[in-house]
Amino acid sequence: DVKVTQSSRYLVKRTGEKVFLECVQDMDHENMFWYRQDPGLGLRLIYFSYDVKMKEKGDIPEGYSVSREKKERFSLILESASTNQTSMYLCASSPGLAGRLSYEQYFGPGTRLTVT
Amino acid sequence: QKEVEQNSGPLSVPEGAIASLNCTYSDRGSQSFFWYRQYSGKSPELIMFIYSNGDKEDGRFTAQLNKASQYVSLLIRDSQPSDSATYLCAVNPGRGADGLTFGKGTHLIIQP
């Protein structure tokens, strides 16, 4: 079974703090993703990575950065947390294309971040 | 602007009946389509994916795809109370390793 883990289920931070959210997958997947989920807005893609040290902006990258130093680990960084970044953060991974037409994504349990 | 549309519900279905969930998408070049189930407070769980026109069955679940109409649906036969959840439709735009575009989900309630 694919397993995606996230470092915290719940996190409370203060405005202006630097916040690190960690994600680890154990299936040797090439692709990793960070989404946020908000009521009424659904899931929105922040950043994704298709290889070590590679990153691509998603739909809402402003205020975030990412790091992928190892294949299994993808970190999301909030450089200076703000209250509008209070949200559920979901990490996902998927295998590389390599002859496939579709590549399903598997999600971690999520981190509910509150910025006060 | 790529969009995936779903009726937010709630969709109420009696236990044992067929639940029908629908999704439309705007990007005609989309390649593959996914259905996720999300229980309250939990992360999305993959149920099925489909990338060819027609039907794909897996147990009580059937995914249906019509690319000409840009329409994908999920049927749940013999609905159970444990099927009560939010169902997310997701579309891959087919440009490589891009993330999926998700609909906002349909809240399904199975009434005992």
Side-chain angles (χ1 to χ4, degrees), chain B residues 1-109:
Chain B
Q1 179 75 14
K2 48 190 178 181
E3 292 181 349
V4 178
E5 300 287 342
Q6 296 181 257
N7 189 321
S8 61
L11 174 65
S12 186
V13 174
E15 183 176 356
I18 296 175
S20 178
L21 303 160
N22 304 314
C23 172
T24 59
Y25 59 94
S26 62
D27 186 346
R28 188 169 286 278
S30 297
Q31 297 289 327
S32 48
F33 309 86
F34 303 81
W35 283 101
Y36 286 83
R37 177 177 62 201
Q38 187 173 24
Y39 293 114
S40 180
K42 302 293 187 182
S43 60
E45 173 191 9
L46 180 69
I47 299 175
M48 293 188 69
F49 62 89
I50 186 169
Y51 47 80
S52 298
N53 276 328
D55 295 359
K56 179 181 179 182
E57 187 174 318
D58 184 0
R60 296 187 296 113
F61 299 96
T62 299
Q64 299 176 318
L65 175 61
N66 184 328
K67 288 187 177 180
S69 300
Q70 296 174 242
Y71 179 92
V72 59
S73 64
L74 179 70
L75 303 178
I76 306 174
R77 289 182 299 281
D78 188 23
S79 298
Q80 303 296 310
S82 60
D83 295 325
S84 298
T86 296
Y87 289 80
L88 304 174
C89 173
V91 174
N92 167 250
R95 294 190 300 272
D98 290 358
L100 301 177
T101 300
F102 284 83
K104 294 179 182 178
T106 298
H107 184 203
L108 175 65
I109 298 172

